[in-house]
Amino acid sequence: MNKQDLTLLTDLYELTMMQGYYEQQQNEVVVFDLFFRNNPSKNGYSVCAGLAQVIDYIKNLNFTYEDVDYLRSLGIFSEDFLHYLSGFHFSGDIYAIPEGTVVFPKEPLVKVVAPIMEAQLVETAILNIINHQSLIATKASRIVFAAAGDGIMEFGLRRAQGPDAGLYGSRAAMIGGCVGTSNVLAGQAFGVPVMGTHAHSWIMSFEDEYTAFKHYAELYPDNCTLLVDTYDTLKSGVPNAIRVFKEFRDAGAPLKKCGIRLDSGDLAYLSKQARKMLDEAGFPDAGICASNDLDEYLLHDLKMQGAAINSWGVGTNLITSKDCPSFGGVYKLAAIQNEKNEFVPKIKVSENTEKITNPGNKTIFRIYDKETGKIRADLICFADESYDTDEDLLLFDPIDTWKKTKLPGGSYTMREILVPVFKNGECIYQSPSVMEIAQYCKKEKDTLWDETKRLFYPHRVYVDLSQKLFDVRNALLDQVNLSD
């Protein structure tokens, strides 16, 4: 699809700070981290998404004549600074965790290493992109988990907060595990399956329900799912659907795939009754799809009640992540390069301990149990640290330091999950297709323990700090306390 120019998709203060750096001739290389503090919806993990759009944004980052003229009209920028912007291009490095990876609070999803003016400019757009798509991918993953193997179709376009949220929300939902989307533009743009049935208006536009069903089946004999709740689900809708299915079968041209959709009422009761009627009529393979303001909690309850539903269309509550509409990602300065090209760690301090940042130029190692392949913990450390998996590894909680675990050498494996995406302003990373990312995400979730995937009160995956990073962090905190 056409790439958007998002250069001015930024907060004004990014540009005013840039001008301040420019006037002060302050453009040293810095490190910024994008991370989040809590999993959305009280989940045990999150799914990162949005990197492909970030890449497109960085590639197309330049100020056009129209952009510069508009900024000039604001009356707050000097001609020298506007001239600098007219030749702007991103020259730094970007590291990121690949899309579809399961991630946890406090670890950098994106790391920007660039001159401070460049690193400052990209903050808003990167946060906007990563926050939104990671939120929807995580919500979709929860809903897919609740469906326990049934297919989830994303039906939320008409309820999304605008076209972009609908388009990229569909993309993120596919990464999170949906089997298809109703969004035709998303199908074209990202090569994902598009799915759908028909509306009540189709039924109401005919003289009767049976005629509407018959014409629809004639149009789509390879995949015919009929919406049965326009008038009366069990007395009219299901019997008329069965009548049409039988007529095609008796005529020697059975529908290749047939089923019904429920969109109102007690879905557990209606689906069980409909299943009985379909089976007795000789259509045990007919599917039952359900929609109607579904979310993971309702799916969980319907599954517990034995609902005879094998596919679900989920709209509003997925595409808006209605119960938790914000991912909460932040973008914080972590280090500044000095005259010796060394990164000097910087820390943000707060009375709220949750908001104290991890300083320095960092990377992340994911630690797996060698026998099961499950995640034991994530370890944030300085980018120049390395580990030998044949040696014992001591992990400890950076807050409750008495909580310790020693992993014997040879019992674990490690993988660095922060990978280079841009080097000296050039993209060196090839984004997989959305369906490839979705497959990768599915494998990623297989590395989680069952206790972490549950919807309610999931077990927390520990994100620990290396001893070296922990010591530097504490030393910086001590310096702040002494200066007080």
Side-chain angles (χ1 to χ4, degrees), residues 2 7 23 26 136 140 161 338 356 358 372-373 411 416 451:
N2 294 331
T7 300
E23 295 296 337
Q26 181 182 349
I136 304 305
Q161 282 95 342
N338 62 19
I356 297 174
N358 291 317
T372 64
S411 70
E416 190 171 5
E451 293 83 352

Side-chain angles (χ1 to χ4, degrees), residues 119 151 200 225 234 302 325 346 402 404 425 429 453 472:
H200 295 102
T225 299
L234 298 181
L302 288 169
K346 297 291 181 177
W402 55 271
K404 298 179 181 180
Y429 180 85
K453 291 187 279 189
V472 169

Side-chain angles (χ1 to χ4, degrees), residues 148-196:
D150 298 339
I152 297 292
M153 297 169 285
E154 184 274 308
F155 280 1
L157 178 58
R158 63 189 63 190
R159 301 287 176 79
Q161 282 95 342
D164 280 355
L167 177 63
Y168 289 100
S170 296
R171 179 186 187 277
M174 294 300 301
I175 289 172
C178 290
V179 297
T181 176
S182 67
N183 188 335
V184 179
L185 182 57
Q188 180 196 43
F190 306 123
V192 300
V194 289
M195 300 176 175

